[in-house]
Amino acid sequence: MPVLTIDSRQVEVEAGTTILKAAAKLGIDIPVFCYHDGLPVAANCRMCLVEVKGAPKPCPACEVQVRDGMEVLTQSPLVLEARKAVLEFILLNHPVDCPICDQAGECVLQDHYFAHSAGPSRIQVRKVHKAKAVPIGPNVMLDKERCINCTRCVRFCREITKTSQLAQVQRGNHTEITVFPGRQFDDPYSLCTVDLCPVGALTSRDFRFRKRSWLLKSIPAVCPECSRGCNVWVDVADGQVWRVRPRENQAVNRWWACDQGRLAFRRFEGQRADRALVDYAPRDATRAATMAAAATAAGRLQTIRSHGGRVVLVLSPMVSLEEGYAALRFASVILGEKLVLLAPRPDGTADSLLRTVDANANRTGLAKLAGLMGFEVADLGGFFASPAAVEVAGLLSVGAEYPVPPLPPGAKMSQAVTLSHCLDPVADKSTVLLPIPAHFEKDGHYVSTAGLVQRSHQALPPAEAVAQVHSLLSEMASKMGGTLGFTDLPSVRSAALSLAGTGEGSHA
Amino acid sequence: MVAKVKNVGQPPLNLTESLYVTELVRGLLTTNRHFWRNWLRRKDTATLEYPDRKRPYSPRWRGLHRLMLREDGSPRCVACMMCSTHCPANCITIVAREHPDPAIEKVPASFEIDLLKCIFCGYCEEACPCDAIRVDSGVHAQPVYGRDEAIIDLADLLSRGSQSTSKQGGRSL
Ligand code: SF4
Ligand code: SF4
Ligand code: SF4
Ligand code: SF4
Ligand code: FES
């Protein structure tokens, strides 16, 4: 293996490693614009120039591979001068409209300028101006003059999603990024180019102008939109989610996430269940009112049970392992059931990058958990079509968002108690609705389609009247004269995880 | 740093002082002396007949905020949130919106300042990259009857606005 010296420190790396990676191994940071771990090397920005002893000119560290005995300098006067010159060149025609640029605060150009140049502009001629705020696709806005022509976006569309929807046209000062005439940039992963773009040339039309980046706090979570379980950052401020970005996880989503998943947090805007409903009448938006509604629900289910009626658990595979465990425990201890009806969201469309057909975050985990707890798992639609459904007098749904199948003729159904975060068709059919946290408002574990147990952290506190599934079910259990054997979230979690996997990152 | 402390003891009262009446008369004489002097020679009176007469303010005095205008009378502010980020009292609330002209791109949809929280430090003016917000109006914050009335909005801020001498967009050619 070649041994080289970088800034008088020796390092041994695999043959074929680039200087950039070898330096990173020593903890030496070389500034880059166009290089990205997930993309093929283009070496067009020249920000990463370093001095190699014996080479006639500075070399781009992102591209040049190491040689045995190579001597590299990353802080020599030549390198510092080269960085300044590259930045001056990139900024020649840059509009520097940071006050109206959404990238400000997380802009690589701003950061490099402060760290490596910070000189005033010497340009005395009119800058080349280009088109601003061009909506090139449903989710992405392009500012042609802010572009530094790093081609990250072009390479992403060409190499990762293989749609090749973006291209670089013209030459020299007039080079610009564009879509093909009459076409839209409607790549299902188009928002990844917004993250990739080191400057504010590509911005998200959804997030645009809503919040400044430095006001956001990022919480690690897992996307619930399909069974891939992409790792994401949830950016919150003022008690609201403003944006969802992919979080690097080489085992799951690498650096990417699909647009649909990233914009899904807006799906229930304006139709969140923020208070309990009993017989369609809203209760007060307080915790006490929600608990009272839970007691009412418990009383009704108890009446059914005391007349020998059957109450069946319907479980949405969108809920976490913790919620699923609490629900299954309630079904076996309080309802005396060994049947659970899984009510998934309808299938989506898979693609070759990340999206899976199964649009449910936790089907693998909940099906396994139910099996381990001795449950027979059936499909809600299938069960409703069978003769056994006629005898069911009550339903307890945990989670919603599933299509409601028609009741069988002559059904004895009298109560449907639903624990849900949204006012969807399931809520419309419920006699009691108890509000629970939405996905980003809870801390829970999910099992991806590949069987990886992943934790999604709580990004936001839910509204006051919203209660966790385990506390609602514990309350209902105590009203129905039983106990579930757990009191708080950690005890539910340890019980659920000891069955379904050992914890985050383990395989279920 | 250790502060210098000067002890000022209370001197004991002598006989005439402790009689109280003599000191009372002395005090009244002082009051009377000032009264008659102000009455007869009004020139060097220490107080002002406020509000009929006002003391001139320093040009640096920080009063009610105003938002400056572009040549066409629209706000210079581009809703960059520098002022609200910098404000130590956290009293500026701005909501941005897209401007139909891509050359302007971003403007405030609403701009509110809560004067009950504002400490008139002027940091907003210093933070502003566009010479859009200023605290040089020379106008006092008015007393109000309710908290809501102490929140000034975009229209109010613009009503005190005027044109800036600096070119919008900095020195970009
Ligand atoms: S891309 Fe960066 S440097 Fe350019 S205007 Fe935006 S924030 Fe400023
Ligand atoms: S739009 Fe952004 S990512 Fe694409 S080439 Fe320009 S600077 Fe690079
Ligand atoms: S004067 Fe100071 S406290 Fe008042 S709005 Fe400006 S920055 Fe905030
Ligand atoms: S007043 Fe100035 S600092 Fe405040 S948002 Fe407007 S342009 Fe930015
Ligand atoms: S990062 Fe090496 S040339 Fe751009």
Side-chain angles (χ1 to χ4, degrees):
Chain A
M1 291 209 299
V3 179
L4 71 160
T5 324
I6 305 178
D7 292 346
S8 8
R9 287 162 67 191
Q10 282 217 332
V11 63
E12 185 177 359
V13 288
E14 299 269 339
T17 311
T18 58
I19 300 178
L20 185 75
K21 289 279 153 207
K25 205 173 164 192
L26 286 174
I28 296 171
D29 210 20
I30 296 175
V32 299
F33 280 118
C34 70
Y35 177 80
H36 188 277
D37 282 339
L39 298 175
V41 176
N44 59 24
C45 75
R46 303 281 140 166
M47 189 61 209
C48 64
L49 289 180
V50 291
E51 190 176 348
V52 177
K53 287 263 176 75
K57 295 191 286 186
C59 303
C62 68
E63 187 188 37
V64 173
Q65 296 180 359
V66 299
R67 255 184 299 108
D68 196 34
M70 199 183 221
E71 267 183 70
V72 180
L73 298 173
T74 73
Q75 295 296 333
S76 69
L78 178 73
V79 174
L80 301 184
E81 187 57 34
R83 284 178 190 162
K84 265 195 175 31
V86 166
L87 280 168
E88 185 168 27
F89 180 63
I90 288 176
L91 282 161
L92 272 188
N93 290 310
H94 194 83
V96 203
D97 50 358
C98 311
I100 54 169
C101 179
D102 250 8
Q103 190 82 1
E106 47 186 14
C107 173
V108 184
L109 183 53
Q110 277 185 334
D111 295 348
H112 284 355
Y113 174 75
F114 280 110
H116 305 287
S117 166
S121 168
R122 293 187 291 170
I123 187 167
Q124 295 295 336
V125 292
R126 197 183 144 81
K127 288 189 176 188
V128 176
H129 288 290
K130 294 177 193 159
K132 294 183 82 67
V134 189
I136 51 170
N139 297 329
V140 179
M141 190 78 97
L142 168 67
D143 186 306
K144 296 189 176 180
E145 44 178 27
R146 287 185 200 142
C147 171
I148 62 164
N149 293 306
C150 69
T151 70
R152 275 187 180 187
C153 55
V154 178
R155 281 176 279 151
F156 176 80
C157 295
R158 197 177 58 216
E159 308 288 339
I160 308 296
T161 61
K162 311 225 187 313
T163 57
S164 299
Q165 287 185 336
L166 294 180
Q168 219 179 10
V169 295
Q170 307 285 16
R171 288 192 300 168
N173 274 345
H174 300 281
T175 312
E176 58 182 47
I177 294 296
T178 185
V179 282
F180 291 90
R183 298 292 184 84
Q184 287 261 307
F185 181 38
D186 54 3
D187 191 303
Y189 294 85
S190 67
L191 283 171
C192 287
T193 61
V194 173
D195 308 323
L196 282 172
C197 184
V199 290
L202 296 174
T203 49
S204 154
R205 290 179 73 182
D206 173 72
F207 177 65
R208 211 169 137 82
F209 300 167
R210 290 204 197 229
K211 260 279 168 267
R212 287 308 232 165
S213 63
W214 56 83
L215 302 172
L216 297 169
K217 202 170 142 229
S218 304
I219 286 98
V222 173
C223 174
E225 281 306 293
C226 81
S227 62
R228 175 75 60 193
C230 290
N231 291 206
V232 293
W233 290 111
V234 185
D235 291 344
V236 298
D238 307 335
Q240 263 196 65
V241 178
W242 296 97
R243 154 175 96 166
V244 174
R245 291 176 297 133
R247 178 161 58 96
E248 183 185 341
N249 185 335
Q250 290 303 319
V252 184
N253 53 316
R254 304 179 70 216
W255 300 268
W256 326 121
C258 72
D259 290 8
Q260 190 185 331
R262 292 156 65 126
L263 298 176
F265 70 93
R266 299 216 177 275
R267 231 159 12 98
F268 294 103
E269 261 175 6
Q271 40 167 331
R272 278 298 309 283
D274 62 350
R275 60 192 67 193
L277 297 175
V278 178
D279 297 328
Y280 308 101
R283 293 291 167 101
D284 290 346
T286 61
R287 183 70 190 221
T290 301
M291 285 305 176
T296 309
R300 293 182 181 186
L301 296 185
Q302 182 70 346
T303 313
I304 294 176
R305 298 272 303 134
S306 57
H307 289 85
R310 189 170 175 204
V311 179
V312 179
L313 172 67
V314 180
L315 195 58
S316 157
M318 294 295 285
V319 302
S320 67
L321 283 182
E322 288 84 343
E323 291 170 327
Y325 175 79
L328 291 166
R329 189 93 188 122
F330 187 87
S332 67
V333 178
I334 308 294
L335 303 177
E337 274 294 333
K338 278 294 162 218
L339 173 72
V340 55
L341 303 175
L342 270 198
R345 301 201 304 171
D347 283 352
T349 35
D351 64 25
S352 56
L353 190 56
L354 296 174
R355 286 197 65 85
T356 59
V357 172
D358 184 1
N360 298 281
N362 208 8
R363 196 201 295 246
T364 318
L366 292 174
K368 180 174 178 204
L369 194 65
L372 288 170
M373 290 171 79
F375 275 85
E376 181 201 336
V377 182
D379 182 67
L380 175 67
F383 179 77
F384 266 39
S386 73
V390 179
E391 292 307 314
V392 173
L395 284 185
L396 171 68
S397 292
V398 174
E401 290 190 55
Y402 53 83
V404 188
L407 278 182
K412 301 204 174 119
M413 187 81 65
S414 65
Q415 289 297 328
V417 175
T418 301
L419 280 61
S420 167
H421 66 286
C422 61
L423 300 173
D424 67 350
V426 182
D428 293 344
K429 291 267 190 291
S430 307
T431 49
V432 181
L433 179 81
L434 303 172
I436 59 171
H439 182 76
F440 291 135
E441 294 168 359
K442 66 197 179 194
D443 188 350
H445 284 76
Y446 299 82
V447 182
S448 76
T449 186
L452 194 68
V453 182
Q454 304 192 93
R455 180 167 183 183
S456 186
H457 290 261
Q458 186 192 37
L460 288 174
E464 192 205 331
V466 172
Q468 305 265 0
V469 168
H470 68 86
S471 31
L472 287 170
L473 292 180
S474 303
E475 172 77 11
M476 288 172 66
S478 70
K479 287 285 179 303
M480 294 171 79
T483 163
L484 300 181
F486 47 73
T487 47
D488 53 1
L489 191 58
S491 51
V492 186
R493 169 164 305 145
S494 55
L497 289 184
S498 64
L499 279 172
T502 47
E504 195 180 8
S506 68
H507 278 268
Chain B
M1 203 187 81
V2 183
K4 276 190 195 154
V5 178
K6 184 177 175 189
N7 281 311
V8 185
Q10 196 175 26
L13 302 179
N14 63 23
L15 182 64
T16 48
E17 280 167 351
S18 63
L19 278 177
Y20 176 71
V21 185
T22 49
E23 287 305 296
L24 178 73
V25 171
R26 257 180 62 183
L28 283 173
L29 279 177
T30 306
T31 309
N32 268 277
R33 192 171 68 241
H34 281 288
F35 176 77
W36 287 114
R37 201 179 66 192
N38 286 351
W39 193 251
L40 299 173
R41 304 167 35 225
R42 303 185 74 161
K43 284 259 164 55
D44 55 354
T45 314
T47 52
L48 271 184
E49 286 182 24
Y50 188 86
D52 295 336
R53 282 208 246 147
K54 288 174 183 161
R55 202 179 281 281
Y57 286 147
S58 151
R60 299 189 317 176
W61 183 79
R62 299 187 293 268
L64 270 194
H65 318 66
R66 59 188 188 133
L67 282 180
M68 305 295 282
L69 309 171
R70 293 173 194 249
E71 271 107 69
D72 64 356
S74 62
R76 284 179 74 87
C77 172
V78 297
C80 69
M81 324 270 167
M82 292 292 148
C83 53
S84 56
T85 303
H86 222 62
C87 173
N90 210 359
C91 65
I92 310 181
T93 314
I94 307 168
V95 179
R97 74 175 164 85
E98 188 102 29
H99 194 279
D101 178 2
I104 298 179
E105 213 173 335
K106 194 180 180 190
V107 282
S110 79
F111 197 118
E112 289 180 346
I113 300 180
D114 186 345
L115 294 177
L116 290 178
K117 289 186 191 160
C118 176
I119 54 168
F120 296 95
C121 61
Y123 280 7
C124 45
E125 175 178 318
E126 285 192 41
C128 182
C130 300
D131 189 22
I133 191 168
R134 291 199 190 173
V135 287
D136 63 354
S137 64
V139 184
H140 269 285
Q142 295 294 316
V144 288
Y145 287 103
R147 281 171 187 274
D148 292 349
E149 291 168 52
I151 298 176
I152 51 176
D153 61 7
L154 191 57
D156 182 80
L157 287 159
L158 288 170
S159 71
R160 283 183 292 277
S162 59
Q163 279 183 18
S164 162
T165 49
S166 72
K167 184 181 174 299
Q168 186 97 34
R171 67 174 283 262
S172 135
L173 293 158

